[in-house]
Amino acid sequence: MRLNDLLFAVRVDQPGQVMTEFQTAEWKPGTRKLTYRDLLQDAVFVVAIGSEDEAWLDRLAEALRHPRFQLYLGRRANVPAGVLKIQTFAGQDPVGVLAQLPWQASRWYQRRSRRQASMSVQLIADAVLLPERRADLVRDAVHSFDQKHRQYSFRPIAVTKVQLANPEYKPAPTATAQDAFGQV
C-alpha cells in the first residue's frame, strides 16, 4: 500500500474530552442490542504528511480538497467540524513543519491558558522522524481495506513535546510598591 510509505506526524493542539454515546441496534430481526461507543469531542489535531514524491503529495492534497465521498473521522457520523486547512511545505519534514506552525487550538481554549506565554503540546510521529525518542508499536499499517478481511500490521511511532506560543497570552498584572503599601 502506497499510503503506508508516507511519513506521518500529528500534533495534539487541543486534547478534547471523551463522550460516551449509546445506540440501540437491531442486529437480528426482533433482537435489539444496546451498544456504547466512546467519541472524542472538542479536539484539535494538526497533521503533517511527508514524502519524497512531491507529485504524490499534491494528488493527496487535491483529494482532500475535493473528496469523492464525505470525509469522516473514525465513523461516518463524525465529520470534521469545518473545512480542512491544507498547506504545503516543500522540502521540510513533518516534525519540523509541526514545530513551526502556530498553535491551532480553539480561541476559547487558548484564552483559558492566557497566563501562559507558551504551551507544551504532544507530537506523535513515525519513529524514523524522531530517532532520539523511544519507539512504541501501533497496529495501523493497512495491508487490506477489504471489508470482510481487513488486515493491519505494526508501525513504530515516537512521542515528544513541542513548545508553541500562546497568541492569547496576557501577563498577570504586577503589583507596585504603592499598591502593596497604599498611598503615602
Side-chain angles (χ1 to χ4, degrees), residues 57-172:
L57 289 176
D58 290 341
R59 285 182 54 214
L60 288 173
E62 187 63 20
L64 288 170
R65 284 186 189 99
H66 305 285
R68 187 176 296 170
F69 301 102
Q70 170 82 31
L71 295 176
Y72 60 91
L73 306 169
R75 298 185 62 213
R76 280 178 275 180
N78 298 349
V79 299
V83 176
L84 299 180
K85 297 175 188 175
I86 299 171
Q87 294 177 274
T88 56
F89 301 88
Q92 295 186 44
D93 74 278
V95 169
V97 168
L98 292 180
Q100 295 172 25
L101 282 175
W103 192 28
Q104 299 296 308
S106 300
R107 200 143 176 228
W108 65 265
Y109 190 83
Q110 292 177 359
R111 273 190 243 127
R112 246 179 40 178
S113 305
R114 69 180 172 268
R115 297 288 182 233
Q116 294 175 264
S118 68
M119 298 300 297
S120 178
V121 298
Q122 189 177 48
L123 190 142
I124 306 158
D126 287 322
V128 298
L129 296 171
L130 295 169
E132 73 284 353
R133 309 297 291 180
R134 181 179 68 86
D136 291 315
L137 294 175
V138 293
R139 191 174 184 164
D140 67 356
V142 178
H143 286 281
S144 170
F145 283 116
D146 184 303
Q147 289 190 358
K148 292 183 180 178
H149 303 288
R150 288 192 181 147
Q151 295 176 346
Y152 302 93
S153 64
F154 290 96
R155 173 177 66 95
I157 62 164
V159 178
T160 191
K161 297 269 187 178
V162 292
Q163 289 294 126
L164 303 174
N166 183 355
E168 294 291 326
Y169 172 62
K170 303 269 189 277

Side-chain angles (χ1 to χ4, degrees), residues 18-23 25 35-39 75:
V18 175
M19 175 186 78
T20 301
E21 169 190 81
F22 73 93
Q23 294 178 341
T35 62
Y36 295 89
R37 291 201 166 69
D38 288 336
L39 307 173
R75 298 185 62 213

